[in-house]
Amino acid sequence: QVQVQESGPGLVKPSQTLSLTCTVSGDSISRGSYYWSWIRQPAGKGLEWIGRIYTSGSTNYNPSLKSRLTISVDTSKNQFSLKLSSVTAADTAVYYCARGATPHRPGEAGKWYFDLWGRGTLVTVSS
Amino acid sequence: DIQMTQSPSSLSASVGDRVTVPCRASQTISSYLNWYQQKPGKAPKLLIYAASSLQSGVPSRFSGSGSGTDFTLTISSLQPEDFATYYCQQSYSIPWTFGQGTKVEIK
C-alpha cells in the first residue's frame, strides 16, 4: 500500500535552515490528483498546516511561514521536500508529511482532507 | 485565517457512552470540515471528511454532522480504543487550519 515517510536531521541550530524530505512508496507521487503537504505539531500542542505542493510544482504556503518556507517536489525520486530558514526554538516540533485528497463525487471536489500521514519526525532547534 | 474552536479541550466518558465532540468555525465553511483521531506518539488518522463522509475502514460508530459554522463528531458507543484526542480541520480556505483538539478521557 502507499506510504509516506519523513527523513532529515533531528537537530538544527538556531538561525540555520531546517530541511526535511518525504518519500512516497508504493505508488508514483504523480499518479492521481493529490496535494502533498507538511504539517507540524509542537510537543503537547495542536496541529499547524505548513504548506502544500502539487506534482506540477504549484505551491501554497501558510502566510505565517511563507517568508521562510520553500516546498519542492522531485517526481523522479518520488519525494517532496521542506526547507524552513532562520529557525528558532519556536520551530521545534514533530513534522509530518501527508497526502491531500478530495472526494470524486460531483459537487465535492475541493473538499481536501489528509488521508495518508507519515509517522512524523521530531526536529529540535537548539544550539 | 479561519479559526477553528473546539470546546471543551477535554471530556470524560465511560465505555459504551454516546460522545459528542463539537467544533465551531469563525466563518462559514460549508461542509469543508474533516475530523482526525490522534493517539499519543502517533500520527493523526482521518475519520470523517466533507463533514459527514466516513473514511474507508473507520468503524461505523463514528459519524459527523453539521454545515456552515457548527459541526459535531459523534461516537455512538465509546470503545476502549477510542480514548484519544480529536481534531477538526477546515479546507475551505488557505491556510488550512485545525482546532486545538478535544481529548476524550476515561471517566
Short mmCIF file of all heavy atoms in Angstrom, two decimals, chain B residues 8-50:
data_model
loop_
_atom_site.label_atom_id
_atom_site.label_comp_id
_atom_site.label_asym_id
_atom_site.label_seq_id
_atom_site.Cartn_x
_atom_site.Cartn_y
_atom_site.Cartn_z
N PRO B 8 -15.27 21.52 24.80
CA PRO B 8 -14.17 21.63 25.75
C PRO B 8 -12.87 21.08 25.19
O PRO B 8 -12.87 20.37 24.19
CB PRO B 8 -14.66 20.78 26.92
CG PRO B 8 -15.46 19.70 26.25
CD PRO B 8 -16.17 20.40 25.11
N SER B 9 -11.77 21.37 25.86
CA SER B 9 -10.49 20.82 25.45
C SER B 9 -10.34 19.37 25.91
O SER B 9 -9.51 18.63 25.37
CB SER B 9 -9.34 21.65 26.02
OG SER B 9 -9.43 21.70 27.43
N SER B 10 -11.14 18.96 26.88
CA SER B 10 -11.15 17.57 27.30
C SER B 10 -12.53 17.22 27.85
O SER B 10 -13.27 18.10 28.29
CB SER B 10 -10.08 17.29 28.36
OG SER B 10 -10.36 17.97 29.55
N LEU B 11 -12.85 15.94 27.79
CA LEU B 11 -14.10 15.46 28.36
C LEU B 11 -13.88 14.04 28.87
O LEU B 11 -13.04 13.30 28.34
CB LEU B 11 -15.24 15.53 27.35
CG LEU B 11 -15.15 14.72 26.06
CD1 LEU B 11 -15.71 13.32 26.26
CD2 LEU B 11 -15.91 15.42 24.94
N SER B 12 -14.63 13.67 29.87
CA SER B 12 -14.53 12.34 30.45
C SER B 12 -15.78 11.54 30.10
O SER B 12 -16.89 12.06 30.16
CB SER B 12 -14.39 12.42 31.97
OG SER B 12 -13.20 13.08 32.33
N ALA B 13 -15.57 10.29 29.75
CA ALA B 13 -16.69 9.43 29.38
C ALA B 13 -16.35 7.99 29.71
O ALA B 13 -15.18 7.64 29.92
CB ALA B 13 -17.02 9.58 27.90
N SER B 14 -17.37 7.17 29.74
CA SER B 14 -17.21 5.75 30.04
C SER B 14 -17.43 4.91 28.80
O SER B 14 -18.08 5.35 27.84
CB SER B 14 -18.22 5.33 31.13
OG SER B 14 -18.02 6.07 32.31
N VAL B 15 -16.86 3.72 28.81
CA VAL B 15 -17.08 2.78 27.71
C VAL B 15 -18.59 2.56 27.55
O VAL B 15 -19.31 2.36 28.52
CB VAL B 15 -16.36 1.45 27.98
CG1 VAL B 15 -16.74 0.41 26.93
CG2 VAL B 15 -14.85 1.66 27.99
N GLY B 16 -19.04 2.64 26.30
CA GLY B 16 -20.44 2.47 25.99
C GLY B 16 -21.22 3.77 25.90
O GLY B 16 -22.34 3.79 25.40
N ASP B 17 -20.64 4.88 26.38
CA ASP B 17 -21.31 6.18 26.32
C ASP B 17 -21.40 6.67 24.88
O ASP B 17 -20.57 6.36 24.04
CB ASP B 17 -20.54 7.23 27.12
CG ASP B 17 -20.74 7.09 28.61
OD1 ASP B 17 -21.58 6.25 29.04
OD2 ASP B 17 -20.05 7.82 29.36
N ARG B 18 -22.41 7.49 24.65
CA ARG B 18 -22.51 8.25 23.41
C ARG B 18 -21.78 9.57 23.65
O ARG B 18 -22.09 10.28 24.62
CB ARG B 18 -23.97 8.51 23.05
CG ARG B 18 -24.18 9.30 21.77
CD ARG B 18 -25.67 9.53 21.54
NE ARG B 18 -25.94 10.28 20.32
CZ ARG B 18 -26.10 9.73 19.13
NH1 ARG B 18 -26.01 8.42 18.99
NH2 ARG B 18 -26.37 10.48 18.06
N VAL B 19 -20.82 9.88 22.80
CA VAL B 19 -19.98 11.05 22.99
C VAL B 19 -20.11 11.98 21.79
O VAL B 19 -20.09 11.52 20.64
CB VAL B 19 -18.50 10.62 23.16
CG1 VAL B 19 -17.58 11.84 23.18
CG2 VAL B 19 -18.33 9.80 24.44
N THR B 20 -20.24 13.27 22.08
CA THR B 20 -20.27 14.26 21.00
C THR B 20 -19.13 15.24 21.22
O THR B 20 -18.90 15.73 22.33
CB THR B 20 -21.61 15.00 20.94
OG1 THR B 20 -21.85 15.65 22.19
CG2 THR B 20 -22.75 14.05 20.64
N VAL B 21 -18.42 15.54 20.15
CA VAL B 21 -17.29 16.46 20.17
C VAL B 21 -17.64 17.62 19.24
O VAL B 21 -17.78 17.43 18.03
CB VAL B 21 -15.99 15.78 19.70
CG1 VAL B 21 -14.83 16.76 19.74
CG2 VAL B 21 -15.69 14.55 20.56
N PRO B 22 -17.78 18.83 19.76
CA PRO B 22 -18.15 19.96 18.93
C PRO B 22 -16.96 20.69 18.33
O PRO B 22 -15.84 20.65 18.86
CB PRO B 22 -18.91 20.87 19.91
CG PRO B 22 -18.35 20.54 21.25
CD PRO B 22 -17.83 19.13 21.20
N CYS B 23 -17.23 21.40 17.24
CA CYS B 23 -16.22 22.21 16.56
C CYS B 23 -16.95 23.39 15.91
O CYS B 23 -18.00 23.19 15.28
CB CYS B 23 -15.51 21.37 15.51
SG CYS B 23 -14.37 22.27 14.42
N ARG B 24 -16.40 24.58 16.08
CA ARG B 24 -17.02 25.77 15.51
C ARG B 24 -16.00 26.54 14.68
O ARG B 24 -14.86 26.75 15.11
CB ARG B 24 -17.59 26.66 16.61
CG ARG B 24 -18.13 28.00 16.13
CD ARG B 24 -18.95 28.68 17.19
NE ARG B 24 -20.24 28.01 17.38
CZ ARG B 24 -21.14 28.37 18.28
NH1 ARG B 24 -20.88 29.36 19.11
NH2 ARG B 24 -22.27 27.72 18.40
N ALA B 25 -16.43 26.97 13.50
CA ALA B 25 -15.59 27.78 12.62
C ALA B 25 -15.91 29.26 12.80
O ALA B 25 -17.06 29.62 13.06
CB ALA B 25 -15.80 27.38 11.17
N SER B 26 -14.90 30.11 12.61
CA SER B 26 -15.09 31.55 12.80
C SER B 26 -15.86 32.20 11.67
O SER B 26 -16.29 33.35 11.79
CB SER B 26 -13.72 32.23 12.97
OG SER B 26 -12.92 32.04 11.82
N GLN B 27 -16.02 31.48 10.56
CA GLN B 27 -16.87 31.92 9.45
C GLN B 27 -17.39 30.68 8.76
O GLN B 27 -16.91 29.58 8.99
CB GLN B 27 -16.09 32.81 8.48
CG GLN B 27 -14.96 32.11 7.76
CD GLN B 27 -14.16 33.06 6.89
OE1 GLN B 27 -13.36 33.84 7.39
NE2 GLN B 27 -14.36 32.96 5.59
N THR B 28 -18.37 30.87 7.90
CA THR B 28 -18.97 29.72 7.26
C THR B 28 -17.96 28.98 6.38
O THR B 28 -17.18 29.59 5.66
CB THR B 28 -20.21 30.12 6.44
OG1 THR B 28 -20.82 28.93 5.91
CG2 THR B 28 -19.84 31.06 5.31
N ILE B 29 -17.98 27.66 6.49
CA ILE B 29 -17.07 26.83 5.71
C ILE B 29 -17.85 25.73 4.96
O ILE B 29 -17.27 24.72 4.56
CB ILE B 29 -15.95 26.21 6.58
CG1 ILE B 29 -16.55 25.35 7.69
CG2 ILE B 29 -15.03 27.29 7.14
CD1 ILE B 29 -15.49 24.53 8.44
N SER B 30 -19.15 25.93 4.79
CA SER B 30 -19.97 24.93 4.12
C SER B 30 -19.74 23.56 4.80
O SER B 30 -19.90 23.45 6.00
CB SER B 30 -19.65 24.91 2.63
OG SER B 30 -20.47 23.99 1.95
N SER B 31 -19.34 22.56 4.02
CA SER B 31 -19.05 21.25 4.61
C SER B 31 -17.59 20.87 4.40
O SER B 31 -17.24 19.69 4.29
CB SER B 31 -19.99 20.18 4.03
OG SER B 31 -19.84 20.12 2.63
N TYR B 32 -16.71 21.88 4.35
CA TYR B 32 -15.28 21.67 4.16
C TYR B 32 -14.62 21.38 5.51
O TYR B 32 -13.72 22.11 5.97
CB TYR B 32 -14.64 22.88 3.50
CG TYR B 32 -15.01 23.08 2.05
CD1 TYR B 32 -16.30 23.43 1.67
CD2 TYR B 32 -14.05 22.94 1.05
CE1 TYR B 32 -16.63 23.61 0.34
CE2 TYR B 32 -14.37 23.13 -0.30
CZ TYR B 32 -15.67 23.46 -0.64
OH TYR B 32 -15.99 23.65 -1.94
N LEU B 33 -15.05 20.31 6.14
CA LEU B 33 -14.64 20.04 7.51
C LEU B 33 -14.29 18.56 7.65
O LEU B 33 -15.04 17.68 7.22
CB LEU B 33 -15.79 20.41 8.46
CG LEU B 33 -15.58 20.46 9.98
CD1 LEU B 33 -15.52 19.06 10.62
CD2 LEU B 33 -14.32 21.24 10.35
N ASN B 34 -13.13 18.32 8.26
CA ASN B 34 -12.64 16.95 8.46
C ASN B 34 -12.36 16.70 9.93
O ASN B 34 -12.09 17.64 10.69
CB ASN B 34 -11.36 16.74 7.65
CG ASN B 34 -11.51 17.15 6.20
OD1 ASN B 34 -12.46 16.74 5.53
ND2 ASN B 34 -10.59 17.98 5.72
N TRP B 35 -12.41 15.43 10.31
CA TRP B 35 -12.12 15.02 11.69
C TRP B 35 -11.01 13.98 11.69
O TRP B 35 -10.99 13.07 10.87
CB TRP B 35 -13.36 14.39 12.33
CG TRP B 35 -14.46 15.35 12.66
CD1 TRP B 35 -15.58 15.61 11.93
CD2 TRP B 35 -14.54 16.17 13.84
NE1 TRP B 35 -16.36 16.54 12.58
CE2 TRP B 35 -15.74 16.90 13.75
CE3 TRP B 35 -13.73 16.36 14.96
CZ2 TRP B 35 -16.15 17.81 14.74
CZ3 TRP B 35 -14.13 17.25 15.94
CH2 TRP B 35 -15.33 17.96 15.83
N TYR B 36 -10.11 14.14 12.67
CA TYR B 36 -8.98 13.22 12.83
C TYR B 36 -8.92 12.75 14.28
O TYR B 36 -9.28 13.47 15.21
CB TYR B 36 -7.65 13.91 12.48
CG TYR B 36 -7.62 14.45 11.08
CD1 TYR B 36 -8.09 15.74 10.80
CD2 TYR B 36 -7.13 13.69 10.02
CE1 TYR B 36 -8.08 16.24 9.52
CE2 TYR B 36 -7.11 14.20 8.73
CZ TYR B 36 -7.59 15.46 8.48
OH TYR B 36 -7.58 15.95 7.20
N GLN B 37 -8.39 11.55 14.46
CA GLN B 37 -8.14 10.99 15.77
C GLN B 37 -6.62 10.85 15.93
O GLN B 37 -5.95 10.38 15.03
CB GLN B 37 -8.77 9.60 15.88
CG GLN B 37 -8.49 8.85 17.16
CD GLN B 37 -8.87 7.37 17.03
OE1 GLN B 37 -8.28 6.62 16.29
NE2 GLN B 37 -9.88 6.97 17.78
N GLN B 38 -6.11 11.26 17.08
CA GLN B 38 -4.69 11.11 17.33
C GLN B 38 -4.47 10.47 18.70
O GLN B 38 -5.00 10.94 19.70
CB GLN B 38 -3.94 12.44 17.26
CG GLN B 38 -2.43 12.28 17.36
CD GLN B 38 -1.68 13.59 17.24
OE1 GLN B 38 -2.13 14.64 17.70
NE2 GLN B 38 -0.51 13.54 16.61
N LYS B 39 -3.66 9.44 18.70
CA LYS B 39 -3.25 8.79 19.95
C LYS B 39 -1.81 9.20 20.27
O LYS B 39 -1.06 9.57 19.36
CB LYS B 39 -3.40 7.27 19.82
CG LYS B 39 -4.86 6.85 19.63
CD LYS B 39 -5.02 5.36 19.52
CE LYS B 39 -6.50 5.03 19.35
NZ LYS B 39 -6.73 3.57 19.21
N PRO B 40 -1.43 9.14 21.54
CA PRO B 40 -0.09 9.62 21.93
C PRO B 40 1.03 8.97 21.13
O PRO B 40 1.07 7.75 20.97
CB PRO B 40 -0.01 9.23 23.41
CG PRO B 40 -1.42 9.24 23.87
CD PRO B 40 -2.22 8.72 22.71
N GLY B 41 1.92 9.79 20.61
CA GLY B 41 3.07 9.31 19.86
C GLY B 41 2.77 8.83 18.46
O GLY B 41 3.67 8.31 17.78
N LYS B 42 1.54 9.03 18.01
CA LYS B 42 1.14 8.57 16.68
C LYS B 42 0.70 9.73 15.81
O LYS B 42 0.35 10.80 16.29
CB LYS B 42 -0.02 7.57 16.80
CG LYS B 42 0.30 6.34 17.62
CD LYS B 42 1.33 5.46 16.96
CE LYS B 42 1.52 4.15 17.70
NZ LYS B 42 2.57 3.32 17.07
N ALA B 43 0.71 9.48 14.51
CA ALA B 43 0.19 10.47 13.57
C ALA B 43 -1.33 10.51 13.64
O ALA B 43 -1.97 9.51 14.00
CB ALA B 43 0.63 10.12 12.16
N PRO B 44 -1.91 11.64 13.30
CA PRO B 44 -3.38 11.70 13.21
C PRO B 44 -3.89 10.71 12.17
O PRO B 44 -3.20 10.38 11.20
CB PRO B 44 -3.65 13.14 12.78
CG PRO B 44 -2.45 13.90 13.26
CD PRO B 44 -1.30 12.95 13.09
N LYS B 45 -5.14 10.29 12.39
CA LYS B 45 -5.80 9.35 11.48
C LYS B 45 -7.13 9.96 11.04
O LYS B 45 -7.90 10.44 11.88
CB LYS B 45 -6.06 8.03 12.20
CG LYS B 45 -6.92 7.03 11.44
CD LYS B 45 -7.29 5.85 12.34
CE LYS B 45 -8.27 4.91 11.66
NZ LYS B 45 -8.68 3.81 12.56
N LEU B 46 -7.38 9.97 9.75
CA LEU B 46 -8.62 10.54 9.22
C LEU B 46 -9.82 9.67 9.60
O LEU B 46 -9.81 8.45 9.39
CB LEU B 46 -8.53 10.64 7.70
CG LEU B 46 -9.77 11.15 6.97
CD1 LEU B 46 -10.03 12.62 7.30
CD2 LEU B 46 -9.63 10.96 5.46
N LEU B 47 -10.84 10.30 10.16
CA LEU B 47 -12.08 9.60 10.49
C LEU B 47 -13.21 9.99 9.54
O LEU B 47 -13.91 9.14 9.00
CB LEU B 47 -12.52 9.95 11.92
CG LEU B 47 -11.59 9.61 13.07
CD1 LEU B 47 -12.19 10.13 14.37
CD2 LEU B 47 -11.36 8.11 13.13
N ILE B 48 -13.43 11.28 9.40
CA ILE B 48 -14.56 11.84 8.67
C ILE B 48 -14.05 12.93 7.74
O ILE B 48 -13.23 13.76 8.15
CB ILE B 48 -15.60 12.47 9.64
CG1 ILE B 48 -16.12 11.45 10.65
CG2 ILE B 48 -16.74 13.13 8.86
CD1 ILE B 48 -17.07 10.43 10.07
N TYR B 49 -14.51 12.96 6.50
CA TYR B 49 -14.19 14.04 5.59
C TYR B 49 -15.48 14.65 5.03
O TYR B 49 -16.54 14.01 5.08
CB TYR B 49 -13.25 13.59 4.46
CG TYR B 49 -13.83 12.53 3.55
CD1 TYR B 49 -14.50 12.88 2.38
CD2 TYR B 49 -13.71 11.17 3.85
CE1 TYR B 49 -15.04 11.92 1.54
CE2 TYR B 49 -14.24 10.20 3.01
CZ TYR B 49 -14.90 10.57 1.86
OH TYR B 49 -15.42 9.61 1.03
N ALA B 50 -15.35 15.86 4.53
CA ALA B 50 -16.51 16.60 3.99
C ALA B 50 -17.68 16.58 4.97
O ALA B 50 -18.83 16.36 4.59
CB ALA B 50 -16.91 16.02 2.63
#
